[in-house]
Amino acid sequence: MTMAYPHLFQPIQIGPLRLRNRLVMAPMESHLGHADGSVSPEQIAYYRERALGGTGLVVVEFTCVDGTDGFSSMAPQLRLDNERYRSGHGKLVDAIKGAGAKACIQLSHAGRQSRESVIGRTPVAPSAVPLRSPYLDTVPRALEEEEIHRIIASYAHAAGLAVASGYDAVMLHGAHGYLLQQFLSPLVNRRGDAWGGDFERRLRFPLEVVKAVKARLGGRALLYRMSVADFLDGGLTVEDAERIAPRLCEAGVDAIDISCGSLDRVDVIVEPMSVPEGWRLPMARRIRAATGKPVICAGVMRWPDKAEQAIADGDTDCVSLGRALLADPMWPIKAQRGDAADIRPCTSCNWCIRETGANRGVGCAENPRCGHETDPPIGAFGKGRRAVVVGAGPGGMAAALMLDQAGFSVSLYERRATLGGNLLTSATPPNKEKLFWYNDFLQRRIEKSGVEIHTGVHVDAALVRSLAPDALVLANGSRMAPLELERSGNLPVAPAYQALLGDIDLPASSEACPILIYGGGETGTETAEFLAKQGHKVVIATRSDACFLARNAEPLYRMQLLQRIGANEAIRIKDKRVLMAIDGDHVLLSHDGTSEVQPAAAVLLAHGLVADTTLADELRGSDFATISIGDAVEVARIGEAVRDAYRAVHHLRRLLLCPEPLAC
């Protein structure tokens, strides 16, 4: 029998470390640890699940080597700068290795990418160069000579504790703007002593750290995560990396883990969904050629075909899976058995980044179990019971699948002719096509399930009562927010999302008579870009200042969206406008108390949505368990809808089984 993806599942030797395959779990902050920086049971379960999924090497998230000034997170960050933390790491290592993977720990010092509110003092850096980022604004102080030696010793001490904890390898975090990269960067390191200035002196600190750590590893592998380009004017380039990486390897590094960026350019660290798969591979190939050592490369490789080809072509030796393993911990096993279509796809929506950025535990928009691996299994508590789900958007489809998993006889109702709901609305605008991956995944799962589908059905209270369900999940979504508007004439008017779904035919437009979109949120701006791509001329009229366009969109995606909108000659913005009336072939806008006439070929409304509670209100007091989820509760994102579905199923398990915790 031929193995699916033979290059991916070929063993590899990295220095003294032998891996069962070429798949590596990338280090990603989980915010699941204890407040004191020690390992928690939740963290152990989180990593164990991904090791069980078949990954060859699990790299544990950035771990602080120096509690004095090395922290880089407002939420609990792991640390290994003291003997007291070794026990927790030992348990974590046992869980990872017991599940079949090798265990590596990433050691980190934040330097200027720390916060005074976290460390209680001014952050340190090679030089006192301010950091001006949307995520952090700080002015560090320059490290003294003796402090540099102390930090080098801290890295070595942490490496010794890692060995004592049982780790198979250590990775140094020399990417993403942390201290090792700060010393290398000509933008940040402006010292005039032996630790900075020219290339050789900027390289000294990373080389000293590598040598000190290697000396404590006792024959274990040393990996180095490196931003091979920071994409800043005057900053580090891939040409610099081609000079730096061989020197690191000469000093003791066994493999280079390819990454990019810093806090100044987070969009090249955790790329938005518009970035194509495998975009870092050309850089990885260059570093591989420059060093002759194995390289590990991430960079939005979401599917086994892409990863297999990257290794077969010699671009990289291993593929690092980050967000992809949040979405589906079983990615490697599914790939190995040739079932790539069953992989729950990461769409680069960055819901995970939003969660950790808000100092919550890691989560995934598509995998509600992510970060909750200690939750009890759903179980077959629904056997002999009937469940009805109203609405087949992402939350409704997820709820139907989990209820089917729980043993219910499930009926899923959708008023449109197809499943998908707002997932289709979200996936249709330019550069968001990856969301179709998730829609296709859910529909494939539903086709294989026992869920009974009813499309093109308007569900009312009478229909629900006639079905007599044991459980009802309302995922019927939202409706347009009320809008007081004078209307006359026959100018076409419709919700903007109908244009995205293809439910309406728009007339021709021109510069003089454009399509007017009222509302500058995410839907309004995305619809404008969608229509412009079709050849329309568009005006966005928004009540807010233009700086608030798409204000609730994922930040990195929003940054690129606004750049595209601003550069698109087919789209004009009229901010601080209120739509007052639609009259014949034009609309009336109010601007600073004055009336403005704007000709229009059609009007698309994107002024906002509100939860549709009509059906829930009509069914209040019914004798079956009813739970509303997603936009039927509060208009939010795909992740909230899927999370609500997961919580609803667990709530139904408790509600229907009524477990009694005490007998006294």
Side-chain angles (χ1 to χ4, degrees):
M1 180 176 175
T2 303
M3 178 190 296
Y5 312 111
H7 292 87
L8 268 185
F9 294 98
Q10 181 182 20
I12 185 172
Q13 195 76 28
I14 298 178
L17 178 67
R18 184 170 178 81
L19 303 181
R20 59 181 173 179
N21 59 44
R22 306 300 184 94
L23 295 170
V24 175
M25 178 184 176
M28 299 169 287
E29 58 185 301
S30 69
H31 291 198
L32 294 176
H34 288 309
D36 66 351
S38 60
V39 174
S40 70
E42 290 77 14
Q43 222 155 21
I44 291 172
Y46 162 79
Y47 281 107
R48 180 176 182 272
E49 189 144 312
R50 281 144 188 89
L52 284 170
T55 306
L57 178 68
V58 170
V59 184
V60 172
E61 64 201 81
F62 65 164
T63 300
C64 182
V65 301
D66 191 336
T68 303
D69 47 29
F71 288 110
S72 53
S73 175
M74 290 186 292
Q77 181 185 356
L78 286 183
R79 58 193 296 185
L80 191 53
D81 58 344
N82 188 293
E83 181 70 28
R84 66 185 289 255
Y85 298 104
R86 186 163 66 85
S87 173
H89 280 277
K91 294 175 183 176
L92 176 55
V93 167
D94 288 345
I96 293 170
K97 294 166 82 165
K102 298 293 186 181
C104 176
I105 186 170
Q106 186 186 60
L107 300 180
S108 171
H109 190 296
R112 70 174 187 157
Q113 290 187 180
S114 188
R115 300 173 187 268
E116 188 169 350
S117 61
V118 173
I119 63 176
R121 63 191 71 206
T122 302
V124 297
S127 305
V129 177
L131 172 60
R132 307 298 186 201
S133 161
Y135 300 90
L136 186 60
D137 190 334
T138 187
V139 180
R141 66 172 180 83
L143 284 160
E144 301 291 340
E145 172 93 14
E146 62 272 16
E147 292 178 302
I148 294 175
H149 289 290
R150 170 179 60 80
I151 293 172
I152 293 171
S154 296
Y155 274 103
H157 179 59
L161 292 173
V163 170
S165 301
Y167 283 103
D168 300 296
V170 164
M171 175 184 285
L172 294 174
H173 197 344
H176 305 167
Y178 291 106
L179 188 62
L180 287 163
Q181 185 180 348
Q182 291 165 32
F183 269 92
L184 285 170
S185 171
L187 297 177
V188 182
N189 186 349
R190 300 176 183 174
R191 301 177 71 96
D193 61 5
W195 300 96
D198 59 25
F199 176 82
E200 286 296 329
R201 287 180 290 168
R202 284 188 278 111
L203 188 57
R204 182 184 173 190
F205 178 75
L207 290 180
E208 293 293 335
V209 170
V210 167
K211 292 173 185 175
V213 167
K214 188 72 170 182
R216 300 293 295 272
L217 291 186
R220 287 167 176 78
L222 177 58
L223 286 63
Y224 193 104
R225 188 163 228 206
M226 181 180 185
S227 279
V228 296
D230 56 25
F231 293 94
L232 296 170
D233 290 339
L236 294 167
T237 65
V238 69
E239 288 77 18
D240 294 322
E242 286 176 307
R243 298 172 63 199
I244 294 166
R247 299 287 297 278
L248 296 172
C249 293
E250 289 168 9
V253 168
D254 296 300
I256 300 290
D257 184 13
I258 305 298
S259 193
C260 298
S262 66
L263 269 190
D264 306 87
R265 286 298 307 271
V266 178
D267 59 309
V268 296
I269 301 175
V270 283
E271 310 90 335
M273 65 177 67
S274 56
V275 174
E277 282 194 278
W279 74 280
R280 290 181 187 157
L281 287 172
M283 293 181 280
R285 187 182 189 92
R286 290 174 65 169
I287 302 305
R288 187 172 186 258
T291 63
K293 296 274 186 165
V295 298
I296 304 165
C297 186
V300 202
M301 278 181 276
R302 301 295 184 235
W303 299 105
D305 286 347
K306 185 69 175 181
E308 171 77 6
Q309 194 63 48
I311 295 172
D313 290 347
D315 292 325
T316 187
D317 297 281
C318 295
V319 170
S320 183
L321 300 175
R323 289 169 286 176
L325 286 182
L326 301 184
D328 198 335
M330 293 183 66
W331 195 108
I333 285 179
K334 291 177 181 179
Q336 190 168 21
R337 72 188 185 204
D339 199 5
D342 197 43
I343 291 174
R344 185 184 298 105
C346 172
T347 61
S348 302
C349 74
N350 281 343
W351 199 75
C352 52
I353 306 304
R354 194 193 73 166
E355 291 297 286
T356 54
N359 294 318
R360 294 188 286 265
V362 68
C364 174
E366 296 161 17
N367 175 15
R369 183 174 163 81
C370 177
H372 298 275
E373 286 79 10
T374 57
D375 285 356
I378 288 174
F381 69 93
K383 288 197 173 183
R385 293 184 168 104
R386 178 176 178 78
V388 171
V389 180
V390 180
M397 287 192 285
L401 285 166
M402 285 186 279
L403 289 167
D404 177 69
Q405 178 185 355
F408 284 88
S409 173
V410 183
S411 295
L412 174 62
Y413 287 83
E414 167 58 40
R415 67 175 178 265
R416 290 176 49 80
T418 58
L419 308 184
N422 281 343
L423 185 49
L424 300 178
T425 308
S426 297
T428 300
N431 301 295
K432 296 186 75 178
E433 296 84 0
K434 289 186 179 76
L435 287 174
F436 283 120
W437 294 350
Y438 184 43
N439 180 67
D440 294 344
F441 166 81
L442 289 174
Q443 297 213 33
R444 285 194 297 270
R445 282 281 174 101
I446 284 177
E447 288 170 4
K448 294 179 181 178
S449 75
V451 176
E452 188 178 85
I453 304 299
H454 303 270
T455 55
V457 178
H458 173 74
V459 177
D460 57 18
L463 175 57
V464 173
R465 290 193 178 102
S466 72
L467 296 171
D470 297 287
L472 171 68
V473 175
L474 295 177
N476 52 309
S478 57
R479 56 184 174 83
M480 294 298 298
L483 178 65
E484 293 185 9
L485 189 63
E486 296 180 17
R487 288 182 58 179
S488 62
N490 297 315
L491 192 64
V493 180
Y497 65 80
Q498 290 189 0
L500 294 173
L501 292 173
D503 288 347
I504 55 172
D505 293 321
L506 292 173
S509 60
S510 64
E511 191 74 30
C513 194
I515 305 294
L516 183 124
I517 298 174
Y518 184 52
E522 191 169 358
T523 299
T525 50
E526 289 181 343
T527 304
E529 188 177 28
F530 173 74
L531 294 178
K533 190 174 181 180
Q534 293 184 332
H536 283 287
K537 303 295 183 181
V538 183
V539 167
I540 301 174
T542 175
R543 291 162 291 186
S544 303
D545 189 284
C547 68
F548 295 114
L549 285 172
R551 72 178 77 181
N552 293 321
E554 188 272 313
L556 300 179
Y557 166 75
R558 177 179 186 259
M559 179 178 69
Q560 296 191 357
L561 171 64
L562 295 187
Q563 289 172 352
R564 296 194 304 269
I565 291 287
N568 196 323
E569 295 181 355
I571 300 172
R572 287 183 288 149
I573 309 296
K574 291 197 169 187
D575 62 353
K576 303 175 185 176
R577 261 74 167 186
V578 177
L579 179 61
M580 304 300 294
I582 299 174
D583 185 7
D585 60 356
H586 63 271
V587 302
L588 294 178
L589 302 172
S590 176
H591 177 52
D592 292 336
T594 62
S595 184
E596 176 183 332
V597 174
Q598 170 63 56
V603 176
L604 297 177
L605 300 176
H607 59 282
L609 301 169
V610 295
D612 188 351
T613 63
T614 306
L615 187 54
D617 293 339
E618 292 175 355
L619 291 168
R620 189 169 286 114
S622 299
D623 58 359
F624 41 79
T626 302
I627 301 177
S628 296
I629 66 171
D631 287 359
V633 179
E634 182 180 5
V635 177
R637 309 189 73 78
I638 292 168
E640 278 84 5
V642 176
R643 177 201 61 196
D644 284 359
Y646 178 73
R647 290 176 176 174
V649 174
H650 275 285
H651 179 64
L652 285 170
R653 181 175 59 83
R654 291 189 295 270
L655 196 65
L656 295 176
L657 295 182
C658 297
E660 174 60 54
L662 289 175
C664 60

